[in-house]
Amino acid sequence: MSEEKVTTDIITLTRHVLDEQRKHKEASGDLTLLLNTIQLGCKFVATNVRKARLLNLVGLAGGATNISGDEQKKLDVISNEIFVNALRSSGKVAVMVSEEDDEAIIVEEGLKGKYCVVFDPLDGSSNIDAGVNVGTIFGIYRVHEDSTGTIKDVLRPGREMVIAGYCMYGSSANLVISLGNGVNGYTLDNSIGEFILTHPNIKIPSRGKIYSVNEGNASFWYPACTEYFNSLKFPPGGKNPYSARYIGSMVADVHRTLLYGGIFAYPADKKSKNGKLRLLYECFPMAFLVEQAGGQATTGTTRVLDIVPTEIHARAPIFLGSKDDVEDLKNIYAKHSAS
Ligand SMILES: O=P(O)(O)OC[C@H]1O[C@](O)(COP(=O)(O)O)[C@@H](O)[C@@H]1O
């Protein structure tokens, strides 16, 4: 019987980030420590999502709603608390914006650091009780040179983020992250409690065969949006139609799109003028990752990462994915806005 080869030179997320940091002589290690804090939060959420039924953590958190009007689930509240407590106590954070907190959290003096973290502690919460993949989404800004850490340090274009990532909780916990030079994916090895590099240098295919959108809203779509998705479903010249895949958890739908290619969308429509997804802690981090992987992210007419948010829970329409697929979408929107 062949002996199982035990890998002893494992590349953990922490080691990989340290390697990256070493390339930047001026690095203080603050980001590595901040990422360790985010890792802790993801490991905590991964465990509780996995045991939710056993620990009676499914269901609503007693009827409370967040500023977006979503009824908060027990796991929404618990996930939010672990991230807020861990980020505050890290001493590296000045400002936090969470989907679950109406106001931005300004960290008190003495614990204040030089980074701002915007995050959705548990995305896709409508799927939790059915055990379908959910996730955590996060983005990190550096506080402006001349600032002590105010809301102005987060109401800025997504392109100014220094780090973006998500952690998907499913058959395994997958943490996908970019420090601004490419995208890497890590899988949580529960036996040693470490995120191990399993998807180095993720590159999204330039064109895919899958589209991902809630077609239940199709009756409210603007003509450009309808024309685009019809072009995938009823392609001219006998070409194969695209396949439809929609989980209803942004993290899971974007993760599949990053690996397989194609396009994910939550368009603006006659019912929701700015779509549904939140700009700061859903659209920006995902757009940052997709661009770093060679794809594109647009509202239909504007590069998502160039938008300047006016308030912390602002929403924005988003189409993201393979470069050529999003280019087709932009051409159809341009044609409609020209007519
Ligand atoms: O059910 P819909 O309208 O298609 O919306 C699904 C979208 O809403 C979300 O669930 C919103 O996220 P939250 O669960 O964090 O509020 C996304 O994950 C998903 O892409």
Side-chain angles (χ1 to χ4, degrees), residues 70 99 120 122-126 214 246 248-250 264 266 276-278 282:
D70 305 329
E99 181 194 19
D120 179 352
L122 203 60
D123 173 71
S125 34
S126 58
N214 184 343
Y246 189 72
S249 287
M250 186 187 196
F264 164 81
Y266 209 105
K276 173 185 181 179
L277 300 176
R278 281 44 63 108
E282 289 175 323

